[in-house]
Amino acid sequence: MADREILKHHAQLFDSMASTLGHDLQEAAIQGKLSIDQITDAVLSCTQCSNPEHCTGWLASRERALQTPEYCRNRDLLGRLQP
């Protein structure tokens, strides 16, 4: 997978993970809860995941979740967005 495709794939995984937790990343950025730099860093962190295929399956198996899987590299960041 080319670097651009890897970034796009992980950006989608991060957005899907946030959505599954009930977060709208665009709205969080508008409200100042999350900066664009934090989103960029989160996507880059996601690219370092050793098993994105498992994440893809985890996301496909549920519509909603209360928290990320233990292995999620963005677990703390997404947890801080909880109300």
Side-chain angles (χ1 to χ4, degrees):
M1 209 182 273
D3 289 346
R4 181 180 168 101
E5 292 301 315
I6 290 169
L7 286 173
K8 286 172 64 174
H9 177 67
H10 286 274
Q12 180 60 45
L13 286 176
F14 179 62
D15 186 56
S16 294
M17 186 65 73
S19 294
T20 298
L21 297 175
H23 306 309
D24 180 325
L25 294 176
Q26 183 176 4
E27 188 61 31
I30 290 169
Q31 293 177 2
K33 295 179 180 177
L34 195 60
S35 72
I36 298 303
D37 285 343
Q38 287 175 304
I39 293 171
T40 300
D41 289 346
V43 171
L44 291 174
S45 179
C46 185
T47 66
Q48 300 303 307
C49 179
S50 62
N51 198 357
E53 295 80 19
H54 187 271
C55 184
T56 300
W58 187 90
L59 288 164
S61 72
R62 64 204 60 189
E63 290 185 28
R64 293 280 177 239
L66 296 176
Q67 61 186 5
T68 68
E70 286 286 326
Y71 60 81
C72 181
R73 298 180 61 90
N74 291 301
R75 183 181 180 106
D76 291 340
L77 174 67
L78 291 169
R80 287 193 301 269
L81 294 178
Q82 298 291 35

